[in-house]
Amino acid sequence: MLTPDNVHARHAAKRKEIEQRLRDFAAIRSMGDAILLSELSFCISAANSSAEAASRAQKGLNEKNLLFSHDASAISSVLLSSHVRFHKNKAKYLIEARKKLFDEKGLEKAMQGRKDSVLLRNFLADEVLGLGMKEAGHFLRNTGLAHEFAILDRHILKNLVSLGVIDEPPKTLTRRRYLDIEKKMLEYCEKSKIPIAHLDLLMWSEQTGRIFK
């Protein structure tokens, strides 16, 4: 767990690995729709499930060539076998998200019309089923489109408590509460001189033992 006494030392120890991971994310942006859609499947799968389960689902969908499929049952089966919660709903969400963002060039249009990354996140959270504020920010970070958002999962919230940024993890995360905590996290990052994308990956690695995504 990160504390005010150890956070800078832990960051210094992992900074190069974190920076490389962020470069990996940035490279994804130019790899085409299939890779972007694969990352979207991870972010949709990860909601209310573990990152490990979401990663298994992402791998399974790629291996079975289901990312561009309309077969909700086949997609759901992969999510279920990967231990992704709400697999039936998420299979439908993934198909609808693909149609909106990729088949109809919605992501490209959104990016052109919303140069402000805050507006782009709001568009994803408001218009794409299966993406809330956390998942929309996660997708943007994992595809190199924006690095300035908090990705508030239980690992991050626990560490924000231990750092004194918030008093306790919220029982529910409304959009207003999410943005309030994100603002506090950004203020902490400004004071500590640790970029928010660095702090997020550092917190996650402290809880799981690795810098993942």
Side-chain angles (χ1 to χ4, degrees):
M1 194 75 69
L2 295 176
T3 69
D5 293 330
N6 68 24
V7 63
H8 285 94
R10 299 283 179 86
H11 179 237
K14 296 183 178 180
R15 182 166 191 145
K16 288 185 178 180
E17 189 177 355
I18 289 170
E19 289 174 342
Q20 180 56 57
R21 198 73 187 98
L22 291 172
R23 285 193 291 270
D24 294 340
F25 292 150
I28 288 174
R29 181 176 179 176
S30 61
M31 291 183 180
D33 285 356
I35 301 300
L36 291 172
L37 182 56
S38 179
E39 286 302 315
L40 184 66
S41 76
F42 170 84
C43 293
I44 289 176
S45 296
N48 299 301
S49 296
S50 70
E52 290 79 6
S55 183
R56 288 193 297 269
Q58 180 183 21
K59 182 179 179 181
L61 293 172
N62 277 300
E63 290 177 346
K64 295 181 181 296
N65 296 313
L66 289 173
L67 286 172
F68 288 90
S69 171
H70 295 275
D71 189 341
S73 178
I75 294 172
S76 176
S77 179
V78 171
L79 301 187
L80 174 61
S81 65
S82 302
H83 303 291
V84 169
R85 299 180 68 198
F86 312 115
H87 53 95
K88 291 182 180 179
N89 285 339
K90 288 180 180 179
K92 296 175 184 177
Y93 295 161
L94 182 56
I95 291 172
E96 292 304 313
R98 189 199 67 230
K99 290 177 182 178
K100 182 181 290 286
L101 296 181
F102 296 94
D103 294 354
E104 300 170 9
K105 299 297 182 182
L107 181 59
E108 181 179 328
K109 292 175 184 176
M111 288 170 58
Q112 291 174 348
R114 295 172 176 81
K115 299 301 184 182
D116 185 326
S117 58
V118 171
L119 294 178
L120 181 55
R121 179 175 65 169
N122 288 343
F123 164 77
L124 292 172
D126 292 338
E127 301 295 330
V128 181
L129 287 174
L131 295 182
M133 295 295 282
K134 177 175 79 71
E135 294 80 23
H138 204 170
F139 174 69
L140 292 173
R141 198 280 306 278
N142 282 11
T143 53
L145 294 170
H147 286 163
E148 66 269 35
F149 298 130
I151 303 169
L152 299 179
D153 68 4
R154 58 192 176 89
H155 298 309
I156 305 306
L157 292 168
K158 285 180 181 178
N159 276 277
L160 288 177
V161 172
S162 69
L163 286 172
V165 177
I166 59 175
D167 294 330
E168 60 182 2
K171 293 180 179 179
T172 58
L173 261 181
T174 62
R175 178 174 291 199
R176 182 176 179 178
R177 183 66 174 132
Y178 192 103
L179 292 174
D180 179 57
I181 294 174
E182 181 178 72
K183 181 181 178 181
K184 291 178 179 178
M185 187 174 175
L186 284 165
E187 289 171 350
Y188 174 83
C189 288
E190 184 175 356
K191 291 178 182 178
S192 66
K193 307 301 182 184
I194 301 175
I196 192 168
H198 284 224
L199 187 60
D200 177 273
L201 289 170
L202 179 62
M203 288 176 169
W204 214 88
S205 72
E206 287 294 311
Q207 293 297 119
T208 65
R210 60 174 175 156
I211 294 171
F212 187 35
K213 62 181 179 180

